[in-house]
Amino acid sequence: MPNGIENTNGQPIRATAAQALERMFAAAADDGLPFRITSGYRSFEKQESLFKGYSERDGVAAAETYSARPGHSEHQTGLAVDLDDGSGFAFKSEFGKTRTGLWLREHCAAYGFLLRYDQGEQPVVGYIYEPWHFRYLGTEITLDMRARGIANYEEYAGAEAAPDYVR
Ligand SMILES: [Zn+2]
């Protein structure tokens, strides 16, 4: 459990990612922009129930643009977090325009995090713009991606675009 960071759903993350997140939080708070955690690790069962709810509300095709099928969520790895600053834009694209969202975009790579589903990347990453979702990859990767101007992990890893599930 990351120490000293408000965690609205009380979800843990893996220790390495938690320590990196604590360092990022300290730097953000120093700049007057503390954030809180709205999601961390989610079990298969939790993802199953979330995805089922979204599918019933919006239909499967729409749900798949912003939520993963159970067994496919980065949150199940314990290496992904959703972040928010309490300004009313939790899980909304507008979060990317808040001072906190802009700070995270600029500084996340220095702490080993990647803004995983950036604007315009849906044809490759398969999800809509999610400025709140950060994946821990470690600075060796995130700083190299930044230096090379690579926006998505599929391209960096030499994987094919993943706009959809294999049918
Ligand atoms: Zn997320």
Side-chain angles (χ1 to χ4, degrees):
M1 196 64 80
N3 283 316
I5 309 175
E6 185 186 350
N7 190 339
T8 58
N9 283 307
Q11 295 170 347
I13 55 174
R14 286 204 212 185
T16 315
Q19 288 155 12
L21 192 67
E22 288 166 10
R23 288 193 291 275
M24 185 161 77
F25 179 83
D30 268 357
D31 285 350
L33 300 169
F35 54 78
R36 61 192 185 191
I37 303 163
T38 50
S39 317
Y41 167 76
R42 279 186 219 132
S43 67
F44 183 96
E45 291 72 24
K46 175 72 182 168
Q47 190 68 27
E48 193 169 42
S49 118
L50 273 178
F51 186 76
K52 184 169 182 284
Y54 295 142
S55 298
E56 285 169 2
R57 187 185 69 188
D58 295 335
V60 174
E64 285 187 341
T65 67
Y66 65 85
S67 180
R69 294 180 187 177
H72 294 266
S73 173
E74 289 199 327
H75 287 285
Q76 203 180 323
T77 68
L79 294 168
V81 287
D82 295 328
L83 304 176
D84 178 49
D85 65 356
S87 63
F89 300 114
F91 301 106
K92 293 193 163 83
S93 60
E94 289 89 343
F95 178 68
K97 293 182 191 157
T98 64
R99 289 184 62 214
T100 306
L102 292 166
W103 190 98
L104 288 169
R105 167 185 291 280
E106 182 182 346
H107 296 281
C108 63
Y111 301 92
F113 288 90
L114 172 69
L115 198 172
R116 183 69 177 86
Y117 307 124
D118 208 345
Q119 202 146 27
E121 296 294 322
Q122 188 173 358
V124 177
V125 302
Y127 294 99
I128 58 169
Y129 177 43
E130 295 195 355
W132 58 85
H133 178 105
F134 293 87
R135 159 78 180 270
Y136 181 74
L137 288 162
T139 51
E140 194 179 328
I141 292 174
T142 56
L143 292 176
D144 191 34
M145 287 182 72
R146 189 63 65 93
R148 291 160 61 182
I150 297 175
N152 66 68
Y153 190 53
E154 283 77 5
E155 183 184 345
Y156 185 79
E160 287 179 27
D164 205 348
Y165 292 92
V166 175
R167 300 286 173 191

